[in-house]
Amino acid sequence: MFEIVFLFVAGFLGGILNSIAGGGSFITFPALIFMGIPPVSANATNTFASSAGYLSGTFALRQELIEHKAELPKILVLSLIGGLAGAYLLLHTSDATFRQAIPWLLLFATVMFIWGGDVNRWLKHTASHHKHASALGGILLSLLLIGVSTYGGFFNAGLGIISLSYLALAGYTNINAMNGIKLLVSSAVSIIAVALFIWDGVIAWYAGTLVLLGTLTGGYFAAHLSRRLPQKGVRAFVIVASVATTLYFFYDVYLASQ
């Protein structure tokens, strides 16, 4: 009973955070680790649990996506390629190696969450001065999207924030359209990654389903909570949780075992 309640509540809180401020994986991924699921399996399971939220969010912003329908096939293909590459890398990484990488991945995601807005503003400013990108610039942007998607297939936390940074560099300025494309990228990455994880049998279905149900429930209630909770307060909570989680994993991986 404790496991059921713990994982559902973790998913519920993660769903609320994802809907209001982002950063839900800082709750759900450590929760799966805490329940004794091996690191690689916990990461794959977290991707599975997050996928439903990406898909529903993409559907909700379908009108914004239609306005960019000419660009979507390319974005989808590149996202699928990167997501497949990242998932393949994860499945060929041992639990011991991935455990060593967790603190650094969390640190990167935390830094992007805290300063991602500043990065996006700088990238928008840069992109506004280079509207007429060269052919080389287009190739580099395509490679960057593959890189972003590869990160997402390997480690889901922080994918949305990194995707927004890519879109800012690519010259997008409408935040609603950017959120729609961000969710589309996240959906494509998670779908192809989850398919590979299912093929490999690495998803912890019982725990993942509990987190997924909690995430969906939390996301639904967040629509009402978002009108009452201050955005700055929620963001501050995510920052504290992400920093604390990152420090814990650095301690657990590099100090506790000594």
Side-chain angles (χ1 to χ4, degrees):
M1 182 57 68
F2 170 78
E3 183 176 345
I4 292 173
V5 173
F6 180 80
L7 290 173
F8 181 84
V9 170
F12 183 81
L13 292 174
I16 290 175
L17 293 178
N18 281 335
S19 298
I20 298 176
S25 287
F26 289 117
I27 303 294
T28 55
F29 175 66
L32 291 164
I33 292 284
F34 179 77
M35 294 310 298
I37 299 173
V40 170
S41 179
N43 187 48
T45 303
N46 185 57
T47 300
F48 160 70
S50 302
S51 60
Y54 296 145
L55 290 168
S56 62
T58 302
F59 180 77
L61 293 174
R62 60 191 181 280
Q63 292 300 325
E64 286 76 10
L65 288 172
I66 290 174
E67 297 175 9
H68 296 271
K69 60 183 179 181
E71 306 146 42
L72 298 186
K74 178 182 177 182
I75 291 173
L76 272 174
V77 170
L78 295 178
S79 299
L80 289 169
I81 292 172
L84 183 64
Y88 179 85
L89 286 173
L90 177 67
L91 293 177
H92 288 78
T93 302
S94 68
D95 279 316
T97 301
F98 186 71
R99 183 172 176 271
Q100 295 285 323
I102 287 174
W104 300 102
L105 292 166
L106 286 172
L107 177 62
F108 176 72
T110 299
V111 168
M112 287 302 298
F113 185 86
I114 296 173
W115 288 288
D118 295 327
V119 172
N120 286 339
R121 283 189 287 273
W122 178 80
L123 290 175
K124 284 181 182 178
H125 177 74
T126 302
S128 67
H129 289 80
H130 298 84
K131 291 183 179 179
H132 304 289
S134 63
L136 178 60
I139 293 172
L140 291 176
L141 282 173
S142 296
L143 292 175
L144 179 58
L145 179 54
I146 292 176
V148 168
S149 302
T150 300
Y151 169 87
F154 186 79
F155 192 65
N156 188 261
L159 173 59
I161 299 162
I162 300 169
S163 298
L164 283 177
S165 297
Y166 157 78
L167 291 169
L169 184 60
Y172 292 87
T173 55
N174 185 302
I175 188 60
N176 291 323
M178 291 172 71
N179 276 328
I181 297 172
K182 172 199 74 175
L183 287 166
L184 181 67
V185 169
S186 298
S187 296
V189 169
S190 62
I191 286 172
I192 193 67
V194 167
L196 196 58
F197 296 153
I198 292 173
W199 178 268
D200 199 76
V202 73
I203 294 176
W205 289 107
Y206 176 71
T209 301
L210 289 172
V211 174
L212 184 146
L213 291 174
T215 300
L216 291 176
T217 307
Y220 175 79
F221 279 100
H224 305 286
L225 286 174
S226 61
R227 300 186 183 95
R228 305 173 185 175
L229 295 177
Q231 291 280 324
K232 289 184 178 180
V234 176
R235 179 176 169 80
F237 173 80
V238 177
I239 290 174
V240 171
S242 62
V243 170
T245 301
T246 302
L247 291 174
Y248 168 78
F249 275 99
F250 267 110
Y251 170 79
D252 184 59
V253 171
Y254 293 105
L255 295 177
S257 58
Q258 293 183 358

